[in-house]
Amino acid sequence: MNRPFVYGYLAEKENFIDREEDRRQLKNFLGHGINVMLISPRRWGKSSLVKMAMGELMAEDHDVKVCYIDAFKVRTEEDFYNKYATAVIDGVFDIQPLKKSAEDILDLPERIAREKGIHVIVCIDEFQQLALLPEWKTMESLMRSVWQHHQHANYCLYGSKRHMMMDIFNNSNSPFYRFGQVLFMKKIEKKHWIPYIQQGFEKTSKAISAAFAERICEVTECHSWYVQQLSFFIWADTIGEVDEDIFNRQLQTLIDTNAPQFESDITGLAPSQLSMLVAIASGEQHLSAKEVVSKYGLGGAQTIAKNKKAIVSKDIVELQPDGTYHFVDPIFFLWFKQQYNINQS
């Protein structure tokens, strides 16, 4: 397929942009036996980053073997242990798994690594999903108690539910507290995206100005998935060169395409929580101010405090260091403003 922009699957080769420092850190920590907890919003490219970094590490050190598990599809404790054992065995060498206890299965990477004289790294994507299992508390304690003794195997645990990941790894009451190095994935900067976007058009005999490429970065806030998706929509609608009509039309396509997910995200929110999101989307930051409470119907002090915590825990908005609230997903923000007829720019 002759398309210059990709989304929906792992970014590789020329479609993997920058992240040199992220790759260096992952290889440095994991290559030297330090566990890593990688946290970022959804669809920022965590899986692509881990795969790229681990591929480079294995090429640089042939004693390193990497196993991958996707916890998103895990539905039971038994399912996790089966997937875990299979991933470890497939990632290292071809043997038939034995029926073992949960503790023996969790110890499998260390035992194999020690026996084979190799270094095993186990990567678990969407790790926070395990916390939704009824058996999580038992599993959490067992995993930590087994893994903390490993000397030849270590772990890269990553996920997109930041609030849940932070609670697992930064809560002093959690068994996984200080289990390893917590890394917060950063956005790829405009200076890397702009030439990538322009080159994508150029190699297919189309054109986009640096100004429009920069606008793609700005409207998506350099969100990896949306940069690729909007670039693709604009590219597919362009015969010669991008103009204002094409840009605006495809920006709306981007919003409409992701609308079903956004509708799902707000399903179940209380009316007062939706009112709080409307207030934030309208530019309000002093959510307890009398006039704001009255204008948006935010309720009493207890309701306001509860709703602030709820919309942050759902990763809809995040609290900035300066005390202001910011929508986590930039395209959700645009969609939400359209739904509630909010004109604040």
PDB file of all heavy atoms in Angstrom, residues 217-238:
ATOM      1  N   CYS A 217       0.006  19.665  13.742  1.00  0.00           N
ATOM      2  CA  CYS A 217       0.632  19.428  15.042  1.00  0.00           C
ATOM      3  C   CYS A 217      -0.087  20.192  16.152  1.00  0.00           C
ATOM      4  O   CYS A 217      -0.287  19.670  17.254  1.00  0.00           O
ATOM      5  CB  CYS A 217       2.099  19.840  15.012  1.00  0.00           C
ATOM      6  SG  CYS A 217       3.114  18.891  13.862  1.00  0.00           S
ATOM      7  N   GLU A 218      -0.469  21.421  15.854  1.00  0.00           N
ATOM      8  CA  GLU A 218      -1.089  22.260  16.880  1.00  0.00           C
ATOM      9  C   GLU A 218      -2.487  21.777  17.240  1.00  0.00           C
ATOM     10  O   GLU A 218      -2.839  21.706  18.417  1.00  0.00           O
ATOM     11  CB  GLU A 218      -1.123  23.711  16.406  1.00  0.00           C
ATOM     12  CG  GLU A 218       0.259  24.353  16.369  1.00  0.00           C
ATOM     13  CD  GLU A 218       0.249  25.734  15.766  1.00  0.00           C
ATOM     14  OE1 GLU A 218      -0.780  26.113  15.151  1.00  0.00           O
ATOM     15  OE2 GLU A 218       1.265  26.441  15.887  1.00  0.00           O
ATOM     16  N   VAL A 219      -3.293  21.438  16.242  1.00  0.00           N
ATOM     17  CA  VAL A 219      -4.673  21.043  16.527  1.00  0.00           C
ATOM     18  C   VAL A 219      -4.734  19.683  17.213  1.00  0.00           C
ATOM     19  O   VAL A 219      -5.643  19.405  17.989  1.00  0.00           O
ATOM     20  CB  VAL A 219      -5.520  21.049  15.237  1.00  0.00           C
ATOM     21  CG1 VAL A 219      -5.235  19.830  14.363  1.00  0.00           C
ATOM     22  CG2 VAL A 219      -7.008  21.133  15.566  1.00  0.00           C
ATOM     23  N   THR A 220      -3.751  18.844  16.954  1.00  0.00           N
ATOM     24  CA  THR A 220      -3.685  17.529  17.595  1.00  0.00           C
ATOM     25  C   THR A 220      -2.815  17.529  18.838  1.00  0.00           C
ATOM     26  O   THR A 220      -2.691  16.498  19.514  1.00  0.00           O
ATOM     27  CB  THR A 220      -3.123  16.469  16.631  1.00  0.00           C
ATOM     28  OG1 THR A 220      -1.781  16.824  16.272  1.00  0.00           O
ATOM     29  CG2 THR A 220      -3.979  16.338  15.376  1.00  0.00           C
ATOM     30  N   GLU A 221      -2.201  18.674  19.136  1.00  0.00           N
ATOM     31  CA  GLU A 221      -1.269  18.810  20.266  1.00  0.00           C
ATOM     32  C   GLU A 221      -0.162  17.756  20.196  1.00  0.00           C
ATOM     33  O   GLU A 221       0.280  17.209  21.208  1.00  0.00           O
ATOM     34  CB  GLU A 221      -2.025  18.720  21.597  1.00  0.00           C
ATOM     35  CG  GLU A 221      -3.021  19.855  21.801  1.00  0.00           C
ATOM     36  CD  GLU A 221      -3.748  19.791  23.123  1.00  0.00           C
ATOM     37  OE1 GLU A 221      -3.440  18.898  23.954  1.00  0.00           O
ATOM     38  OE2 GLU A 221      -4.630  20.643  23.360  1.00  0.00           O
ATOM     39  N   CYS A 222       0.264  17.457  18.977  1.00  0.00           N
ATOM     40  CA  CYS A 222       1.349  16.499  18.715  1.00  0.00           C
ATOM     41  C   CYS A 222       1.044  15.099  19.251  1.00  0.00           C
ATOM     42  O   CYS A 222       1.949  14.326  19.573  1.00  0.00           O
ATOM     43  CB  CYS A 222       2.680  17.001  19.285  1.00  0.00           C
ATOM     44  SG  CYS A 222       3.366  18.415  18.395  1.00  0.00           S
ATOM     45  N   HIS A 223      -0.228  14.775  19.348  1.00  0.00           N
ATOM     46  CA  HIS A 223      -0.665  13.437  19.749  1.00  0.00           C
ATOM     47  C   HIS A 223      -0.366  12.488  18.582  1.00  0.00           C
ATOM     48  O   HIS A 223      -0.889  12.649  17.484  1.00  0.00           O
ATOM     49  CB  HIS A 223      -2.164  13.479  20.046  1.00  0.00           C
ATOM     50  CG  HIS A 223      -2.733  12.221  20.608  1.00  0.00           C
ATOM     51  ND1 HIS A 223      -2.731  11.020  19.928  1.00  0.00           N
ATOM     52  CD2 HIS A 223      -3.340  11.973  21.806  1.00  0.00           C
ATOM     53  CE1 HIS A 223      -3.307  10.104  20.665  1.00  0.00           C
ATOM     54  NE2 HIS A 223      -3.692  10.657  21.817  1.00  0.00           N
ATOM     55  N   SER A 224       0.459  11.477  18.808  1.00  0.00           N
ATOM     56  CA  SER A 224       0.988  10.649  17.722  1.00  0.00           C
ATOM     57  C   SER A 224      -0.098  10.053  16.834  1.00  0.00           C
ATOM     58  O   SER A 224      -0.015  10.123  15.603  1.00  0.00           O
ATOM     59  CB  SER A 224       1.856   9.523  18.291  1.00  0.00           C
ATOM     60  OG  SER A 224       2.974  10.052  18.961  1.00  0.00           O
ATOM     61  N   TRP A 225      -1.107   9.444  17.443  1.00  0.00           N
ATOM     62  CA  TRP A 225      -2.181   8.812  16.665  1.00  0.00           C
ATOM     63  C   TRP A 225      -2.876   9.832  15.785  1.00  0.00           C
ATOM     64  O   TRP A 225      -3.087   9.627  14.593  1.00  0.00           O
ATOM     65  CB  TRP A 225      -3.172   8.153  17.613  1.00  0.00           C
ATOM     66  CG  TRP A 225      -4.434   7.633  16.968  1.00  0.00           C
ATOM     67  CD1 TRP A 225      -5.503   8.369  16.550  1.00  0.00           C
ATOM     68  CD2 TRP A 225      -4.752   6.271  16.661  1.00  0.00           C
ATOM     69  NE1 TRP A 225      -6.483   7.559  16.022  1.00  0.00           N
ATOM     70  CE2 TRP A 225      -6.047   6.270  16.071  1.00  0.00           C
ATOM     71  CE3 TRP A 225      -4.090   5.064  16.838  1.00  0.00           C
ATOM     72  CZ2 TRP A 225      -6.676   5.090  15.670  1.00  0.00           C
ATOM     73  CZ3 TRP A 225      -4.720   3.900  16.436  1.00  0.00           C
ATOM     74  CH2 TRP A 225      -5.987   3.923  15.850  1.00  0.00           C
ATOM     75  N   TYR A 226      -3.232  10.974  16.377  1.00  0.00           N
ATOM     76  CA  TYR A 226      -4.004  11.971  15.639  1.00  0.00           C
ATOM     77  C   TYR A 226      -3.169  12.685  14.582  1.00  0.00           C
ATOM     78  O   TYR A 226      -3.701  13.066  13.537  1.00  0.00           O
ATOM     79  CB  TYR A 226      -4.615  12.989  16.596  1.00  0.00           C
ATOM     80  CG  TYR A 226      -5.690  12.418  17.493  1.00  0.00           C
ATOM     81  CD1 TYR A 226      -5.698  12.690  18.857  1.00  0.00           C
ATOM     82  CD2 TYR A 226      -6.691  11.601  16.981  1.00  0.00           C
ATOM     83  CE1 TYR A 226      -6.682  12.176  19.684  1.00  0.00           C
ATOM     84  CE2 TYR A 226      -7.676  11.065  17.804  1.00  0.00           C
ATOM     85  CZ  TYR A 226      -7.666  11.355  19.155  1.00  0.00           C
ATOM     86  OH  TYR A 226      -8.643  10.837  19.974  1.00  0.00           O
ATOM     87  N   VAL A 227      -1.891  12.878  14.829  1.00  0.00           N
ATOM     88  CA  VAL A 227      -1.032  13.462  13.792  1.00  0.00           C
ATOM     89  C   VAL A 227      -1.045  12.560  12.561  1.00  0.00           C
ATOM     90  O   VAL A 227      -1.232  13.020  11.431  1.00  0.00           O
ATOM     91  CB  VAL A 227       0.415  13.663  14.287  1.00  0.00           C
ATOM     92  CG1 VAL A 227       1.328  14.044  13.123  1.00  0.00           C
ATOM     93  CG2 VAL A 227       0.478  14.748  15.358  1.00  0.00           C
ATOM     94  N   GLN A 228      -0.857  11.265  12.783  1.00  0.00           N
ATOM     95  CA  GLN A 228      -0.848  10.320  11.670  1.00  0.00           C
ATOM     96  C   GLN A 228      -2.225  10.235  11.005  1.00  0.00           C
ATOM     97  O   GLN A 228      -2.340  10.222   9.770  1.00  0.00           O
ATOM     98  CB  GLN A 228      -0.434   8.922  12.176  1.00  0.00           C
ATOM     99  CG  GLN A 228       0.992   8.837  12.690  1.00  0.00           C
ATOM    100  CD  GLN A 228       2.002   8.567  11.587  1.00  0.00           C
ATOM    101  OE1 GLN A 228       1.701   8.690  10.401  1.00  0.00           O
ATOM    102  NE2 GLN A 228       3.218   8.216  11.960  1.00  0.00           N
ATOM    103  N   GLN A 229      -3.281  10.197  11.806  1.00  0.00           N
ATOM    104  CA  GLN A 229      -4.629  10.035  11.257  1.00  0.00           C
ATOM    105  C   GLN A 229      -5.061  11.265  10.464  1.00  0.00           C
ATOM    106  O   GLN A 229      -5.564  11.140   9.338  1.00  0.00           O
ATOM    107  CB  GLN A 229      -5.615   9.754  12.399  1.00  0.00           C
ATOM    108  CG  GLN A 229      -6.963   9.245  11.918  1.00  0.00           C
ATOM    109  CD  GLN A 229      -7.860   8.829  13.069  1.00  0.00           C
ATOM    110  OE1 GLN A 229      -7.861   9.448  14.129  1.00  0.00           O
ATOM    111  NE2 GLN A 229      -8.637   7.774  12.872  1.00  0.00           N
ATOM    112  N   LEU A 230      -4.860  12.451  11.031  1.00  0.00           N
ATOM    113  CA  LEU A 230      -5.244  13.665  10.317  1.00  0.00           C
ATOM    114  C   LEU A 230      -4.384  13.862   9.075  1.00  0.00           C
ATOM    115  O   LEU A 230      -4.892  14.264   8.021  1.00  0.00           O
ATOM    116  CB  LEU A 230      -5.140  14.878  11.242  1.00  0.00           C
ATOM    117  CG  LEU A 230      -5.538  16.232  10.626  1.00  0.00           C
ATOM    118  CD1 LEU A 230      -6.938  16.187  10.024  1.00  0.00           C
ATOM    119  CD2 LEU A 230      -5.433  17.347  11.672  1.00  0.00           C
ATOM    120  N   SER A 231      -3.105  13.571   9.167  1.00  0.00           N
ATOM    121  CA  SER A 231      -2.225  13.677   7.999  1.00  0.00           C
ATOM    122  C   SER A 231      -2.699  12.756   6.884  1.00  0.00           C
ATOM    123  O   SER A 231      -2.706  13.135   5.704  1.00  0.00           O
ATOM    124  CB  SER A 231      -0.780  13.330   8.380  1.00  0.00           C
ATOM    125  OG  SER A 231      -0.256  14.264   9.302  1.00  0.00           O
ATOM    126  N   PHE A 232      -3.111  11.541   7.260  1.00  0.00           N
ATOM    127  CA  PHE A 232      -3.600  10.604   6.252  1.00  0.00           C
ATOM    128  C   PHE A 232      -4.882  11.114   5.597  1.00  0.00           C
ATOM    129  O   PHE A 232      -5.025  11.078   4.365  1.00  0.00           O
ATOM    130  CB  PHE A 232      -3.858   9.225   6.858  1.00  0.00           C
ATOM    131  CG  PHE A 232      -4.537   8.281   5.912  1.00  0.00           C
ATOM    132  CD1 PHE A 232      -3.812   7.674   4.895  1.00  0.00           C
ATOM    133  CD2 PHE A 232      -5.892   8.027   6.018  1.00  0.00           C
ATOM    134  CE1 PHE A 232      -4.439   6.809   3.987  1.00  0.00           C
ATOM    135  CE2 PHE A 232      -6.524   7.176   5.119  1.00  0.00           C
ATOM    136  CZ  PHE A 232      -5.801   6.564   4.114  1.00  0.00           C
ATOM    137  N   PHE A 233      -5.831  11.595   6.412  1.00  0.00           N
ATOM    138  CA  PHE A 233      -7.094  12.092   5.859  1.00  0.00           C
ATOM    139  C   PHE A 233      -6.842  13.243   4.882  1.00  0.00           C
ATOM    140  O   PHE A 233      -7.434  13.303   3.809  1.00  0.00           O
ATOM    141  CB  PHE A 233      -8.015  12.557   6.989  1.00  0.00           C
ATOM    142  CG  PHE A 233      -8.609  11.443   7.816  1.00  0.00           C
ATOM    143  CD1 PHE A 233      -9.173  11.715   9.055  1.00  0.00           C
ATOM    144  CD2 PHE A 233      -8.604  10.134   7.368  1.00  0.00           C
ATOM    145  CE1 PHE A 233      -9.724  10.703   9.825  1.00  0.00           C
ATOM    146  CE2 PHE A 233      -9.145   9.108   8.133  1.00  0.00           C
ATOM    147  CZ  PHE A 233      -9.711   9.403   9.368  1.00  0.00           C
ATOM    148  N   ILE A 234      -5.981  14.167   5.278  1.00  0.00           N
ATOM    149  CA  ILE A 234      -5.675  15.318   4.423  1.00  0.00           C
ATOM    150  C   ILE A 234      -4.955  14.855   3.152  1.00  0.00           C
ATOM    151  O   ILE A 234      -5.270  15.296   2.039  1.00  0.00           O
ATOM    152  CB  ILE A 234      -4.838  16.356   5.192  1.00  0.00           C
ATOM    153  CG1 ILE A 234      -5.688  16.980   6.309  1.00  0.00           C
ATOM    154  CG2 ILE A 234      -4.306  17.440   4.263  1.00  0.00           C
ATOM    155  CD1 ILE A 234      -4.908  17.892   7.251  1.00  0.00           C
ATOM    156  N   TRP A 235      -3.990  13.970   3.317  1.00  0.00           N
ATOM    157  CA  TRP A 235      -3.244  13.435   2.165  1.00  0.00           C
ATOM    158  C   TRP A 235      -4.185  12.744   1.178  1.00  0.00           C
ATOM    159  O   TRP A 235      -4.096  12.952  -0.037  1.00  0.00           O
ATOM    160  CB  TRP A 235      -2.183  12.462   2.671  1.00  0.00           C
ATOM    161  CG  TRP A 235      -1.500  11.684   1.587  1.00  0.00           C
ATOM    162  CD1 TRP A 235      -0.454  12.084   0.804  1.00  0.00           C
ATOM    163  CD2 TRP A 235      -1.832  10.354   1.156  1.00  0.00           C
ATOM    164  NE1 TRP A 235      -0.112  11.089  -0.087  1.00  0.00           N
ATOM    165  CE2 TRP A 235      -0.943  10.022   0.107  1.00  0.00           C
ATOM    166  CE3 TRP A 235      -2.784   9.422   1.554  1.00  0.00           C
ATOM    167  CZ2 TRP A 235      -0.988   8.784  -0.536  1.00  0.00           C
ATOM    168  CZ3 TRP A 235      -2.836   8.187   0.905  1.00  0.00           C
ATOM    169  CH2 TRP A 235      -1.942   7.890  -0.125  1.00  0.00           C
ATOM    170  N   ALA A 236      -5.114  11.930   1.702  1.00  0.00           N
ATOM    171  CA  ALA A 236      -6.024  11.183   0.831  1.00  0.00           C
ATOM    172  C   ALA A 236      -6.976  12.107   0.077  1.00  0.00           C
ATOM    173  O   ALA A 236      -7.462  11.750  -1.012  1.00  0.00           O
ATOM    174  CB  ALA A 236      -6.810  10.168   1.652  1.00  0.00           C
ATOM    175  N   ASP A 237      -7.238  13.295   0.619  1.00  0.00           N
ATOM    176  CA  ASP A 237      -8.175  14.245  -0.002  1.00  0.00           C
ATOM    177  C   ASP A 237      -7.458  15.254  -0.901  1.00  0.00           C
ATOM    178  O   ASP A 237      -8.096  16.117  -1.489  1.00  0.00           O
ATOM    179  CB  ASP A 237      -8.949  14.978   1.105  1.00  0.00           C
ATOM    180  CG  ASP A 237     -10.164  15.737   0.585  1.00  0.00           C
ATOM    181  OD1 ASP A 237     -10.737  15.306  -0.434  1.00  0.00           O
ATOM    182  OD2 ASP A 237     -10.529  16.759   1.188  1.00  0.00           O
ATOM    183  N   THR A 238      -6.155  15.140  -0.985  1.00  0.00           N
ATOM    184  CA  THR A 238      -5.358  16.112  -1.734  1.00  0.00           C
ATOM    185  C   THR A 238      -4.908  15.533  -3.069  1.00  0.00           C
ATOM    186  O   THR A 238      -4.368  14.425  -3.123  1.00  0.00           O
ATOM    187  CB  THR A 238      -4.126  16.541  -0.921  1.00  0.00           C
ATOM    188  OG1 THR A 238      -4.552  17.129   0.314  1.00  0.00           O
ATOM    189  CG2 THR A 238      -3.278  17.534  -1.690  1.00  0.00           C
TER     190      THR A 238
END
